[in-house]
Amino acid sequence: MSDDARDAGLVAMISSILGGNKRAEAASPPPLADFMPVAPAAAPLAEVAQIPEAESPKLQDASDQAVAAPRPVAPGPPLTPDGKRRLPADAIAGLVLGELRKIEGFPASGVSVTVYGYRHWNAMITFAPFSTTFQNATRFRQALPDLVFKLRRFVELEI
């Protein structure tokens, strides 16, 4: 392979990574979907979980009039005095990744979210090579601080 062909290939690869003549600062972050609070969503699930499907009035036969006592529900994640849910870093990373997946163009694989810190926890996103374009990775990284700020109001890192 000649040096000119090698240089042309290298320039093409660098241009594709850096996005040609476009500047990364010009990319605006995508609008985030309205974040649904995590804590209130847990309450309706607890009420539904108390009545097993087999004992639901809709699924009972007319001849079966016996009413079974509802089974106790396993306690949810512990709450802080502020009413925030305490979750391990892996669970918070899953929440962050789930919210990021709602953004258009987010890659299906090759993305890792790491949660770190203590009281004011933070998140870091990394992409595998060729999982997304440079412009899209920039958009997702710019959207991450807003998402973390919103999640901190409802979730605290469990140590």
Side-chain angles (χ1 to χ4, degrees), residues 44-65:
L45 292 177
E47 294 172 7
V48 173
Q50 288 180 353
I51 301 175
E53 288 183 21
E55 298 171 3
S56 172
K58 292 181 181 178
L59 298 177
Q60 288 181 352
D61 293 332
S63 61
D64 185 20
Q65 298 298 328

Side-chain angles (χ1 to χ4, degrees), residues 32-39 41-42 45 77 84-103 106 111-115 121 123-125 143-144 146-148 150-158:
L32 287 176
D34 292 336
F35 177 73
M36 296 301 294
V38 178
L45 292 177
K84 296 179 182 179
R85 287 187 359 174
R86 277 201 182 140
L87 296 174
D90 293 338
I92 295 175
L95 286 173
V96 171
L97 192 59
E99 287 298 316
L100 286 171
R101 288 192 195 279
K102 295 178 183 177
I103 299 174
F106 195 80
V111 181
S112 175
V113 174
T114 304
V115 175
W121 58 269
M124 173 182 71
I125 187 170
L144 187 63
D146 294 333
L147 178 62
V148 168
K150 289 177 183 177
L151 275 174
R152 273 193 210 132
R153 290 188 277 168
F154 303 105
V155 179
E156 189 172 295
L157 184 63
E158 180 182 73

Side-chain angles (χ1 to χ4, degrees), residues 3-50:
D3 289 335
D4 292 335
R6 187 176 307 143
D7 289 342
L10 185 59
V11 169
M13 182 179 74
I14 291 171
S15 294
S16 69
I17 291 173
L18 297 178
N21 293 331
K22 298 178 185 174
R23 295 181 53 120
E25 294 84 38
S28 62
L32 287 176
D34 292 336
F35 177 73
M36 296 301 294
V38 178
L45 292 177
E47 294 172 7
V48 173
Q50 288 180 353

Side-chain angles (χ1 to χ4, degrees), residues 1 19 23-24 31 46 59 63 78 104 106 122-123 127-128 130 134 142-143 149 155:
M1 179 182 269
R23 295 181 53 120
L59 298 177
S63 61
E104 183 179 344
F106 195 80
N122 207 349
F127 298 94
F130 306 109
F134 180 77
Q142 289 174 347
F149 179 75
V155 179

